[in-house]
Amino acid sequence: MMKSRATLRNRPRVIFRHHLRNNMAAAVEQQPGPAAHGVYQDTSDSPVPSLFTQPPVIRDALETDSSHIQNETVEEVLPFLTGKEHRYLNSHGVPRLDKERHARFLTKQLGVLPSAYVGADPSRPWIFYWCLNALSLLGEDVEPYRAKLVETVRPIQNETGGFGGGFGQASHLATTYAVVLALALVGGEEAFEVVDRRSMWKWLCQLKQPDGGFQMAVGGEEDVRGAYCAAVVVSLLNLPLNLSPESPAYAAGHTDLFSGLGEWVRLCQTYEGGVSAKHGIEAHGAYAFCALGCLSIIDSPHRSVRRYMDVPRLISWLSSRQYAPEGGFSGRTNKLVDGCYSHWVGGCWPLIEASLSGPEGPTAGPAGRPLEATDADDSLFSRNGLIRYILCCCQDMSKRGGLRDKPSKYSDAYHSCYVLSGLSSAQTKWRLVASRADETLLGDDRWEASPHTNGVQIFDEEDRIATTHPVYAIPQHRVNEIRSYFLSKESF
Ligand code: FPP
Ligand code: K
Ligand code: ZN
């Protein structure tokens, strides 16, 4: 049953196969007839739309290893989507979100917090962010973790700026980003004061490159994760934007941490319409989110995203990530659905919508044309398709709990965080209600969340989870708290 990631990952793929299954948004959810609980024996009395209960009507005639594992994946998920694997189903044929079970799993994954000295596992800071964020989404109070987190991350900060993965490890932007978000999640002065902002600023200046992008570590790789992580760290900590003359970018004429960054991000958009880690390689959903997130920090998305991205082609590529019958997203062309893309791809939609609508609300498209929503419920993707995939296929309902990539994979902290983030954005309507008055006020846009209410709600109201900021991927009040703390500090 269990397939190893390595065998799946290394199979060849055919990049040009057409996505014939991409118009998911057209899937119409019907109000069910008399409430029927339990397992449906016969598809004729199933409340699940047939789009989610059968293999795709049109299949690729070209057989490859990729088409075979795609077919296997459809066979794997169908029993979960049709309810055969679930004991309880609501009147829409959807199982409950088992919050208690998942919270127990996450608490266990978090472990007994300080152990930065013990192991040398460089992904420990990530575990903190994933678990604390997922617990917050489930409505748990994570402030009690503050003291332990502070104690654990203090020794992994380097005097030369930034945080490493563990004690004695060189600083890296990914772990620094994860630590800053974890500190923001627990909140409070004690957590915020851990960060040495002056050395952080100096270190970021070293990472800034002559071409406008950011390296992940001094002398390390330069990619769009760097662009996003740097933008998040600078804006949450309210670091100065001016560039130190010691920066390698300074000699190239840059005077500002973000100058040339939008132009650098633009080069990551590929011929497919998606976004790659850096210019010239394959588009992947995780990088689309990084690009949109970065652009939404350096300016308001209706300006920056439209300026630096070919938005219609990006929308087309993002739309092709949603499959039927699975309902969830894949990360790239001709690859498989995976729960974590509920965030990496699903989290792109609010930023795309804001870039189309601007702060005035949803009135006009990029060229002043009225926005044509492709769904009865006015969304650019099938929210209900995604919610079905998450609730039916991504929950480990065994004693273990937690959320996962797909039924044949084990749950983990990473997938728990990003599956729940994706569920949250599918349940929420985000609107950019006010744009920053001045471009130098980084990330200072006003976003407003409300429950998404257009169309049929297929999940039970008790299964609604907390909202997560569309740019920072932590709760909005946590973003506001850390930003206002550092905004009130004039200098460092
Ligand atoms: C492929 O994995 C995955 C990638 C090429 C990108 C991974 C990057 C991220 C998940 C996020 C980075 C973002 C930040 C903010 C640090 P795979 O081949 O196992 O999966 P696939 O078959 O679904 O592509
Ligand atoms: K994957
Ligand atoms: Zn995944």
Side-chain angles (χ1 to χ4, degrees), residues 69 76 83 109 115 123 135 161 178 242 246 271 277 289 316 359 365 391 407 434:
I69 51 174
E76 175 185 330
Q109 291 289 305
S115 61
S123 63
L135 285 166
N242 62 301
E246 282 136 65
Y271 69 93
F289 181 79
S316 158
L391 295 177

Side-chain angles (χ1 to χ4, degrees), residues 5 9 284 331-332 335-338 340-341 405-406 409 414-415:
R5 282 185 80 74
R9 191 189 298 152
H284 195 283
R332 40 181 165 155
K335 297 223 66 181
L336 307 174
V337 67
D338 175 343
C340 64
Y341 303 128
D405 163 346
K406 54 175 67 63
K409 305 283 176 165
Y414 166 86
H415 286 90

Side-chain angles (χ1 to χ4, degrees), residues 175-192:
T175 50
T176 299
Y177 160 85
V179 167
V180 169
L181 290 190
L183 291 169
L185 278 162
V186 297
E189 179 167 8
E190 188 199 356
F192 303 153

Side-chain angles (χ1 to χ4, degrees), residues 8-29:
L8 290 184
R9 191 189 298 152
N10 297 326
R11 303 239 185 131
R13 292 172 299 130
V14 179
I15 298 284
F16 297 99
R17 196 187 79 186
H18 292 295
H19 278 275
L20 296 167
R21 287 174 270 104
N22 69 1
N23 207 359
M24 282 285 305
V28 177
E29 292 285 348

Side-chain angles (χ1 to χ4, degrees), residues 2 20 35 70 81 133 171 191 200 204-205 210 260 296 336 338 340 343 371 376 396 452 476:
M2 290 298 170
L20 296 167
Q70 172 57 32
L81 289 168
N133 193 46
S171 292
M200 181 74 82
L204 289 169
C205 288
S296 302
L336 307 174
D338 175 343
C340 64
H343 168 70
L371 250 187
D396 184 325
H452 180 267
Q476 196 173 25

Side-chain angles (χ1 to χ4, degrees), residues 251-303:
H254 293 291
T255 53
D256 170 333
L257 270 170
F258 291 156
S259 74
L261 188 57
E263 286 77 6
W264 188 90
V265 169
R266 181 209 303 263
L267 296 174
C268 298
Q269 188 164 23
T270 79
Y271 69 93
E272 288 192 282
V275 177
S276 56
K278 59 183 183 191
H279 177 71
I281 60 175
E282 186 185 4
H284 195 283
Y287 303 129
F289 181 79
C290 290
L292 292 172
C294 170
L295 294 176
S296 302
I297 290 171
I298 63 175
D299 197 1
S300 299
H302 64 294
R303 289 191 292 260

Side-chain angles (χ1 to χ4, degrees), residues 219-352:
E221 70 276 35
E222 181 184 9
D223 63 44
V224 74
R225 291 173 307 159
Y228 175 61
C229 293
V232 167
V233 169
V234 167
S235 61
L236 289 183
L237 302 179
N238 189 34
L239 300 180
L241 279 183
N242 62 301
L243 199 59
S244 139
E246 282 136 65
S247 169
Y250 195 84
H254 293 291
T255 53
D256 170 333
L257 270 170
F258 291 156
S259 74
L261 188 57
E263 286 77 6
W264 188 90
V265 169
R266 181 209 303 263
L267 296 174
C268 298
Q269 188 164 23
T270 79
Y271 69 93
E272 288 192 282
V275 177
S276 56
K278 59 183 183 191
H279 177 71
I281 60 175
E282 186 185 4
H284 195 283
Y287 303 129
F289 181 79
C290 290
L292 292 172
C294 170
L295 294 176
S296 302
I297 290 171
I298 63 175
D299 197 1
S300 299
H302 64 294
R303 289 191 292 260
S304 57
V305 173
R306 288 202 217 171
R307 182 175 310 140
Y308 296 115
M309 292 278 119
D310 181 335
V311 177
R313 295 181 64 235
L314 179 54
I315 291 176
S316 158
W317 185 88
L318 289 168
S319 301
S320 304
R321 304 278 58 75
Q322 193 166 28
Y323 293 173
E326 299 94 308
F329 297 115
S330 67
R332 40 181 165 155
T333 303
N334 280 324
K335 297 223 66 181
L336 307 174
V337 67
D338 175 343
C340 64
Y341 303 128
S342 307
H343 168 70
W344 297 116
V345 176
C348 288
W349 295 114
L351 302 177
I352 290 283

